[in-house]
Amino acid sequence: MSHLLLDVNIVVDLCVARAGSPNSLAAVALAGEQGFQLWVYAGSVQTLEYVVASELRYARQKVGDTLSGNAARQLARQVLGEITTNYQWLAALATDGAVFADEDPEDAQLIRSLERFTAGTARLLTRDGRVLERCGDVAITPEAFIEQSLQHPGKPKFEFIDLKTQQNAIRPQLEQNIHRVLHHGTYIMGNEVDLLEAKLAAYTGAKHCITVASGTEALLISLMALGIGAGDEVITTPFTFVATAEVIVLLGAKPVFVDIEPDTCNIDARLIEVKITERTKAIMPVSLYGQPADMDEINAIAAKYNLPVIEDAAQSFGATYKGKKSCNLSTIGCTSFFPSKPLGCYGDGGAIFTDDDNIYQACREIRIHGQSRRYYHTRVGVGGRMDTLQCAIVLAKLERFDLEVEQRIALGQRYNQLMDEAGVQRVQQRDDRTSVFAQYTVLVEKRSEVEARFKEVGIPTAVHYPVPLNEQPTYQHLCCADCTPIAKDRAQRVMSLPMGADLSSIHQKTITNVLVKLDA
């Protein structure tokens, strides 16, 4: 159970001292301590204002004081605003006329609103006997909640990536953006698409931004815009998600794998030049774990051979390299808005960044089936648009993104300090760049045993990535495993820990303690 919806009578108890208040106050305080998300139903706003104002006037009358109706309403609004600051407002969604057949339409809507939560995760806290009778086990009194909570205290819950806290922080803007799209109904290429592209370009400093259906589509469209095809070669890293190589092969080209740096796990720029041949048509470094690769060195090699560079920045949007933003470090930058990314949507999405006008035009046309105008196809393309709803979601998240980047960097540095003090080997970050810590990754021995121990104590972990691409069945014919010994070693030892902008320092310390005990 993780959600508690507060009935009107409970909120009134919190605002006005009255007979039922002590247990209501205690129950709400206990729920907060045990990590429950507290909700207030937005459809009850008018009732709340009226009842709280009436109670405040009555309380004043009992002590011989008077309060005018307007003054009471003003005071009620002030008190309600203060009380509900730390609660989430559950939106009053559309209904049908059948609700008015109920003896209490407002209660009916309140009870119906609980259906939005996953079954078994939410209850209604109420003192209303009629509501309790109608809801059954879905509703609970303050007294019963206190008793159950004391008998079965909740344990701190660890999320590998905590999207719920982020969503709660931006819920009003998020819901407003989504509903605006539902009302205007332009689900493909709506105004939100252009607005997001302008904001993303301004954020990175790039001249152009093209939103696309996913990070994979961003890479694919970029390669297509460069004219890469059968017989060509693209230099990249084997220590990455499969999409990096997948898009190269889909176009009939060949990924040429270069080993990684042992400390950052990014592609080793010193090893690139020797792999360049007359068939090489691009270099595609990956900014792994949220940290850009050695882009100056890579760009210098590329310039020497007149090659474009595509930064696969699926994990590093928001990071900087020598003061410049990731995605604006090379010919093309590509990122992903997959939900777990530092800036993610609630589905698939991605973006391409470039300063080159010709590449920009090509990417825009390829994204919409190669069209330069409707039903006029100038090149081969794909259905690669990012839909308007997902753009609306990223627009809401973008408002908090600077704060989240600051928090990610601070949390990553705290993790570093804890790991270094504990003697735990970790992925390193270079001084001339920042990482947004899309993952926080350590290096461990006997990884399966370490993962099992974390699982036992309820802490999720992940491995990015357990098998280098040149050892994958589909790609192993392209390069021998022994050609990339560092990637092979790191794939057997890397393990990622819970990370996100809202991770608490207490959780970090607990996670570190588990590692230290294992190491001992």
Side-chain angles (χ1 to χ4, degrees):
M1 197 68 63
S2 55
H3 301 281
L4 202 61
L5 178 60
L6 308 183
D7 199 357
V8 167
N9 51 77
I10 302 298
V11 180
V12 175
D13 286 349
L14 301 178
C15 294
V16 183
R18 61 179 187 172
S21 293
N23 285 331
S24 295
L25 292 169
V28 170
L30 188 58
E33 292 172 5
Q34 296 194 353
F36 280 77
Q37 179 61 62
L38 301 173
W39 297 82
V40 180
Y41 180 52
S44 299
V45 166
Q46 188 174 358
T47 301
L48 281 169
E49 181 191 19
Y50 176 80
V51 175
V52 171
S54 298
E55 289 286 339
L56 289 171
R57 291 188 74 187
Y58 177 68
R60 291 288 183 90
Q61 289 173 359
K62 287 177 65 176
V63 295
D65 197 1
T66 59
L67 196 65
S68 71
N70 285 336
R73 286 191 294 273
Q74 189 173 28
L75 181 57
R77 289 193 291 269
Q78 179 185 336
V79 172
L80 282 164
E82 294 171 355
I83 289 291
T84 60
T85 296
N86 296 320
Y87 307 155
Q88 288 296 312
W89 285 94
L90 188 63
L93 300 184
T95 186
D96 53 45
V99 71
F100 292 107
D102 194 276
E103 61 180 13
D104 191 326
E106 186 176 332
D107 280 352
Q109 278 292 87
L110 174 70
I111 293 166
R112 186 181 297 181
S113 71
L114 286 166
E115 296 173 1
R116 280 178 249 164
F117 297 100
T118 303
T121 66
R123 295 179 86 170
L124 175 66
L125 187 68
T126 183
R127 293 192 294 103
D128 189 323
R130 290 182 307 167
V131 173
L132 286 163
E133 186 176 343
R134 292 180 63 173
C135 288
D137 292 340
V138 179
I140 189 170
T141 64
E143 294 77 14
F145 181 83
I146 292 169
E147 182 180 357
Q148 289 184 15
S149 296
L150 293 176
Q151 289 177 351
H152 307 285
K155 295 180 180 179
K157 187 176 181 181
F158 287 80
E159 301 277 358
F160 187 73
I161 298 171
D162 182 8
L163 295 178
K164 296 175 184 175
T165 301
Q166 180 199 59
Q167 186 181 109
N168 289 339
I170 61 171
R171 184 173 298 277
Q173 189 62 50
L174 188 65
E175 293 185 352
Q176 182 184 85
N177 286 8
I178 290 171
H179 279 264
R180 185 179 290 118
V181 175
L182 295 179
H183 281 285
H184 69 55
T186 308
Y187 302 114
I188 302 297
M189 302 306 293
N191 290 336
E192 287 78 3
V193 177
D194 290 337
L195 180 58
L196 178 61
E197 289 177 347
K199 286 182 176 288
L200 293 174
Y203 181 86
T204 60
K207 185 177 180 181
H208 302 295
C209 171
I210 309 99
T211 55
V212 291
S214 67
T216 304
E217 288 291 316
L219 295 173
L220 178 65
I221 292 170
S222 297
L223 291 170
M224 293 174 70
L226 294 173
I228 291 172
D232 295 336
E233 294 178 351
V234 178
I235 293 175
T236 191
T237 168
F239 198 62
T240 179
F241 183 61
V242 68
T244 308
E246 184 177 59
V247 292
I248 300 169
V249 175
L250 281 171
L251 294 176
K254 175 185 176 182
V256 176
F257 296 116
V258 170
D259 208 359
I260 60 174
E261 297 170 332
D263 55 345
T264 69
C265 293
N266 275 324
I267 190 170
D268 193 332
R270 300 169 300 176
L271 306 178
I272 290 176
E273 189 168 8
V274 71
K275 294 294 185 78
I276 294 174
T277 71
E278 61 182 12
R279 292 184 298 276
T280 305
K281 294 297 184 290
I283 304 173
M284 189 186 291
V286 176
S287 295
L288 196 70
Y289 298 143
Q291 175 181 210
D294 293 326
M295 296 304 294
D296 277 359
E297 291 84 345
I298 295 169
N299 287 332
I301 296 168
K304 182 178 177 180
Y305 293 92
N306 195 30
L307 298 171
V309 175
I310 304 172
E311 181 196 10
D312 181 344
Q315 301 175 13
S316 61
F317 190 83
T320 60
Y321 174 83
K322 297 183 179 179
K324 291 188 66 177
K325 287 282 193 345
S326 179
C327 291
N328 187 27
L329 302 175
S330 54
T331 317
I332 301 174
C334 297
T335 198
S336 168
F337 300 130
F338 187 79
S340 63
K341 303 302 183 187
L343 180 63
C345 54
Y346 292 152
D348 270 318
I352 302 167
F353 300 84
T354 186
D355 290 337
D356 188 296
D357 293 342
N358 292 327
I359 292 175
Y360 168 66
Q361 185 63 29
C363 289
R364 280 179 60 86
E365 293 178 7
I366 293 167
R367 169 180 69 173
I368 310 180
H369 301 286
Q371 295 182 123
S372 58
R373 62 179 186 268
R374 190 161 176 77
Y375 296 129
Y376 189 78
H377 304 269
T378 55
R379 62 187 84 227
V380 174
V382 297
R385 299 160 297 200
M386 183 172 172
D387 69 64
T388 309
L389 273 169
Q390 297 301 340
C391 288
I393 289 165
V394 177
L395 280 168
K397 288 194 173 191
L398 196 56
E399 294 187 14
R400 190 182 187 242
F401 189 60
D402 282 337
L403 171 64
E404 291 191 5
V405 169
E406 290 178 12
Q407 291 178 173
R408 281 180 171 275
I409 291 172
L411 287 164
Q413 291 172 345
R414 175 169 168 75
Y415 253 144
N416 286 347
Q417 181 182 350
L418 290 169
M419 296 302 161
D420 292 346
E421 290 173 354
V424 176
Q425 192 176 356
R426 60 179 174 83
V427 171
Q428 300 287 319
Q429 292 79 44
R430 299 286 173 83
D431 293 337
D432 60 354
R433 67 205 71 172
T434 62
S435 175
V436 287
F437 294 96
Q439 293 86 28
Y440 188 87
T441 305
V442 295
L443 302 169
V444 298
E445 305 296 338
K446 299 180 180 178
R447 185 172 61 203
S448 60
E449 296 178 15
V450 177
E451 289 176 300
R453 176 57 185 148
F454 270 98
K455 186 176 181 179
E456 285 176 13
V457 297
I459 300 176
T461 60
V463 177
H464 308 91
Y465 298 94
V467 182
L469 297 187
N470 55 321
E471 292 187 51
Q472 297 283 355
T474 305
Y475 303 104
Q476 61 186 2
H477 67 283
L478 299 172
C479 175
C480 65
D482 293 338
C483 294
T484 58
I486 305 299
K488 184 181 182 69
D489 173 79
R490 294 302 183 258
Q492 296 167 358
R493 299 175 59 206
V494 292
M495 186 181 77
S496 296
L497 305 174
M499 181 61 189
D502 299 295
L503 184 67
S504 74
S505 58
I506 295 174
H507 280 70
Q508 281 189 301
K509 185 65 175 176
T510 302
I511 292 163
T512 306
N513 287 341
V514 173
L515 273 174
V516 171
K517 289 177 182 177
L518 285 166
D519 194 50

